[in-house]
Structure formats: C-alpha cells, structure tokens
Amino acid sequence: MLERKNDISIYIFLFKIILSLFFSFFISFLLSRIFYKDRPFVVGIKNNILCHKLNSSFPSMHGSISFTISLSYLIWTNSRFRVLMLFPSFIICWARVFLGVHWTSDMISSFIISLISCMIAGYIWKNYHNLLTNFFKKKINLSRK
C-alpha cells in the first residue's frame, strides 16, 4: 500500500492515523480527568525508577499512542507483516508496567481506547470518504505543479 510517493492511499492512510490519534488523545484526556488512579510507585508497590509526575496513571498515553498506530497499521494496510506492528506496543506497555509507572489495567484500557479510536476514524472515513478523497486528490495535483 505504501509503495508510491504521490499515491493517494498514503494520504488516506496518514489521515486515518492522525484522526485515530486525535480521538485516542481526546478519550484518554477525558478519562484521566474523570477517573484518578494513583501510580504504582505512589502506592509503594514499585520504586520510581523514572522521574515521573504524580498525576493519574489511568489510562496510559504511551499505550494509547503506540496501540493506535499499531492498530491503524493492522487494520488499514495489506502488509503481511502488519501483525508484527503490535509487538513494539506490547513491549512499550510491558516496560511501563515493569518500571512501576502504570498498572496492567491502564494498558488494557489504552488498547480498548485505541480500538475505539480506530473504529471512530473508520466510521468517519466510511461516511465521508468521497469528500476526503477529492480533497486529497486536489492537494496532490496542486503539489505536482
């Protein structure tokens, strides 16, 4: 899918990722303001290895970002290696839990938030793809002149 430089599919794919990330950030931000949860090092379960703020651990922004990008790649590309994109996300999540910055439930919620964000972006694309495709075609044609 990502072979040619001026192919419209690249712009469509990037649009879907950016839209998914927007919703992921928005949902994560709202949930972090509504549900406060102490970090593991605050409760005394782990030591604070990282210099981290004493803000809410729920949900993990690192997890949300990495899972959103990985799930976007998994859902919207045809690469045979797309499942491997989830591996770095799981490593990031494991590291954050291991370092005592997040709970496992924070990472599970980040995965769910990312999945919901990709579904919202897919829904928007499904309903407005003609309008958006024409917009990207115009932008590509303008950049070639």
Side-chain angles (χ1 to χ4, degrees):
M1 176 179 158
L2 302 175
E3 289 85 19
R4 294 185 309 195
K5 198 171 192 177
N6 286 329
D7 189 11
I8 193 167
S9 62
I10 295 170
Y11 295 98
I12 292 169
F13 178 63
L14 290 175
F15 173 78
K16 289 177 183 178
I17 289 178
I18 291 169
L19 192 60
S20 297
L21 283 170
F22 169 78
F23 286 112
S24 182
F25 277 125
F26 182 72
I27 294 168
S28 295
F29 177 77
L30 283 179
L31 289 176
S32 70
R33 297 297 182 246
I34 296 170
F35 302 107
Y36 183 85
K37 189 174 176 185
D38 282 330
R39 295 186 179 274
F41 66 84
V42 173
V43 180
I45 292 180
K46 294 262 188 169
N47 292 329
N48 188 3
I49 298 172
L50 300 174
C51 294
H52 206 285
K53 295 179 185 175
L54 297 176
N55 55 1
S56 178
S57 72
F58 179 82
S60 170
M61 282 293 194
H62 285 88
S64 295
I65 293 167
S66 63
F67 278 128
T68 300
I69 293 170
S70 298
L71 287 172
S72 296
Y73 195 80
L74 179 70
I75 295 168
W76 294 309
T77 65
N78 294 328
S79 172
R80 59 184 158 167
F81 301 111
R82 65 184 188 223
V83 175
L84 294 176
M85 286 296 291
L86 287 171
F87 184 70
S89 296
F90 287 117
I91 296 297
I92 290 168
C93 291
W94 174 82
R96 303 290 290 179
V97 171
F98 179 77
L99 292 172
V101 182
H102 286 286
W103 303 96
T104 306
S105 61
D106 299 339
M107 297 306 170
I108 293 169
S109 64
S110 295
F111 179 80
I112 294 168
I113 289 167
S114 300
L115 193 57
I116 291 169
S117 300
C118 289
M119 290 169 57
I120 293 170
Y123 177 79
I124 290 172
W125 178 256
K126 179 182 174 187
N127 290 318
Y128 298 101
H129 70 278
N130 289 333
L131 176 72
L132 295 167
T133 302
N134 291 333
F135 173 77
F136 290 129
K137 284 181 181 176
K138 287 178 186 176
K139 290 296 178 186
I140 291 171
N141 288 335
L142 289 175
S143 67
R144 290 182 183 170
K145 292 180 180 180

